[in-house]
Amino acid sequence: MEQKGRAWIELNIEHLRHNVGQFQELLPAGCAMMPAVKANAYGHGAPLIAASLQQMGIRDFCVASMNEAIELRKAGITGQILILGYTPPGQFPELAEYRLTQTVVDYPYAVRLNDYGRPLRVHVGIDTGMHRLGERSGNTETIRRIWDLKNLTITGVFSHLCVSDGTSQSDRDYTRAQIKNFTSIVRSLHKRGISGFKMHLQGSYGVLNYPDLRFDYARIGIALYGALSLPHDKTKAAVRLKPVLSLKARIECVKPLYAGESVGYGLDYTARTDKKIAAVSIGYADGIPRGLSNRGYALVHGKKAAIIGRICMDQLMIDVSDIPQAAAGDEAIFIGACGPNEITAGEVAQCADTISNEILSRLGERLERVVSG
Ligand SMILES: *Cc1c(COP(=O)(O)O)cnc(C)c1O
């Protein structure tokens, strides 16, 4: 288990506990966290993260797919697991077998779920403006008819915000409109005598930027892992989050690269002066974006070492000219802190023109995952 051989992820469960505490303080009384542990818990490792959260008292989880949900059940997760995406009818038996909660993605899908002929637990998705999943919030009568389907046990109604991370006036207006669409469809259901379901609307940024909303669950993903999507994101709520994940790999060998010589595939980097370089055992198959070639950096002995040349599938090269003690077997940190320096997932994402959610969720299967704190 604690091999730390080639390239690995270190997980700080105390930081996860800290982040849970921060959100429990922030969320209104009666609102429970429903952590998003899809995509292998954003690369952190879903069974371990979910089991840790369960030990901290969390009972509800959401995932993207049936297979992710079954993996959690097999890891001993006993509470509610909501599948946020589409499950094909061929897999409806597993919904019942594993006691999973399925999202109703629209009215025709509700009918198919009902036609399965056995009771299924569902949350009804409402499209309040993102125009991805959910029956459109204006279709009040169609939405109401979902409650006529006798095999559906409807325990929740939810929607999703699409610009809650934005701070511009138009983003805030759009989010306010989504909130209004959501509360008004709920109100019309109540008026028609339909109740007894939980409501949820916010993901991480919905909570961080609209902390005063009062719903039953908050589907927190990225922020629970102690990351923001981008490093400069401003949020309304003053929470202090600590990163759960560090990403590290071994230096394999150190050697000179003399002035005028080039390195790696395509000979894409040429030394202008004599350099000392190191090959490191991590590459794009492990989730280091190839776009960081000649752009990103690692920390070695607490100092910055630039990624030079093209990133390979399993390896990459860094410039350790200014780090005299760098040697084979040393750690190179790609996400995480060392000494006075830290590389956050958000910074890596910014450098690769994406968001930390993508960087983390694509961290590779072959990385070892070890608990550090
Ligand atoms: C992924 C997802 C979340 C979590 O989003 P974060 O921004 O990572 O907190 C919440 N709700 C839905 C529907 C999602 O797909």
Side-chain angles (χ1 to χ4, degrees):
M1 171 67 183
E2 303 259 336
Q3 293 228 331
K4 299 195 193 174
R6 172 186 168 270
W8 66 95
I9 284 169
E10 284 177 19
L11 297 166
N12 188 323
I13 301 301
E14 282 316 307
H15 285 188
L16 182 65
R17 189 188 307 277
H18 167 90
N19 298 340
V20 166
Q22 291 281 298
F23 278 107
Q24 280 169 341
E25 265 177 47
L26 180 64
L27 291 170
C31 180
M33 253 180 267
M34 182 195 273
V37 290
K38 57 194 184 183
N40 202 19
Y42 292 47
H44 292 60
L48 183 98
I49 293 290
S52 304
L53 290 167
Q54 182 167 263
Q55 275 183 356
M56 296 172 203
I58 287 172
R59 301 289 304 149
D60 305 280
F61 296 90
C62 55
V63 295
S65 73
M66 160 80 61
N67 287 352
E68 291 176 339
I70 293 175
E71 186 185 29
L72 293 189
R73 280 283 181 255
K74 290 187 171 159
I77 301 303
T78 54
Q80 172 171 241
I81 303 176
L82 171 64
I83 299 176
L84 296 167
Y86 173 88
T87 298
Q91 291 183 322
F92 288 170
E94 281 91 345
L95 287 177
E97 183 186 341
Y98 290 95
R99 294 176 296 108
L100 306 174
T101 305
Q102 172 59 43
T103 294
V104 171
V105 305
D106 60 9
Y107 183 77
Y109 187 67
V111 171
R112 300 202 74 173
L113 284 163
N114 187 64
D115 288 347
Y116 173 58
R118 290 176 54 195
L120 292 176
R121 266 174 167 265
V122 300
H123 283 199
V124 173
I126 309 285
D127 172 10
T128 54
M130 183 171 183
H131 307 313
R132 189 174 64 178
L133 296 185
E135 191 62 42
R136 289 176 67 103
S137 56
N139 299 346
T140 315
E141 188 47 29
T142 309
I143 292 169
R144 192 211 51 77
R145 282 197 288 131
I146 298 173
W147 271 261
D148 293 338
L149 301 168
K150 291 302 168 220
N151 293 321
L152 302 188
T153 307
I154 304 172
T155 56
V157 172
F158 75 101
S159 185
H160 195 43
L161 302 172
C162 52
V163 285
S164 58
D165 57 333
T167 49
S168 71
Q169 192 57 46
S170 67
D171 286 347
R172 296 195 62 84
D173 289 347
Y174 200 85
T175 302
R176 287 284 163 207
Q178 282 196 275
I179 295 164
K180 190 157 164 281
N181 290 342
F182 187 62
T183 50
S184 55
I185 184 67
V186 166
R187 204 171 307 121
S188 22
L189 289 169
H190 285 164
K191 246 190 249 158
R192 290 165 169 79
I194 298 168
S195 60
F197 53 82
K198 306 276 194 188
M199 293 174 273
H200 47 109
L201 177 64
Q202 301 144 285
S204 295
Y205 281 86
V207 171
L208 291 171
N209 287 331
Y210 301 84
D212 302 330
L213 297 179
R214 295 179 157 270
F215 294 113
D216 298 301
Y217 297 117
R219 303 183 307 267
I220 304 174
I222 191 66
L224 202 57
Y225 305 105
L228 292 176
S229 293
L230 284 169
H232 50 72
D233 276 349
K234 296 271 175 295
T235 63
K236 185 159 178 255
V239 288
R240 265 198 61 231
L241 302 172
K242 298 184 178 178
V244 176
L245 175 148
S246 304
L247 175 64
K248 305 183 179 181
R250 294 253 178 241
I251 289 183
E252 304 172 289
C253 76
V254 176
K255 63 172 59 155
L257 183 72
Y258 294 113
E261 290 183 331
S262 302
V263 64
Y265 289 123
L267 298 172
D268 226 13
Y269 170 88
T270 302
R272 267 188 250 150
T273 56
D274 289 353
K275 299 272 184 198
K276 187 168 78 160
I277 65 167
V280 184
S281 53
I282 192 166
Y284 60 76
D286 301 295
I288 304 277
R290 192 166 170 277
L292 292 185
S293 298
N294 288 314
R295 287 181 76 176
Y297 68 95
L299 296 175
V300 176
H301 293 283
K303 288 192 185 154
K304 289 183 172 192
I307 296 174
I308 52 171
R310 284 191 204 158
I311 293 171
C312 315
M313 186 181 285
D314 321 305
Q315 299 171 84
L316 54 80
M317 278 67 88
I318 56 176
D319 179 352
V320 291
S321 304
D322 298 328
I323 310 168
Q325 67 270 53
D330 286 354
E331 293 181 8
I333 300 175
F334 292 85
I335 298 172
C338 183
N341 284 317
E342 178 175 11
I343 304 174
T344 65
E347 287 162 358
V348 174
Q350 189 171 40
C351 195
D353 293 322
T354 179
I355 54 175
S356 64
N357 316 45
E358 180 178 359
I359 298 292
L360 293 172
S361 66
R362 296 179 74 156
L363 292 176
E365 279 293 318
R366 78 183 166 186
L367 295 167
E368 298 155 45
R369 285 168 173 80
V370 300
V371 174
S372 70

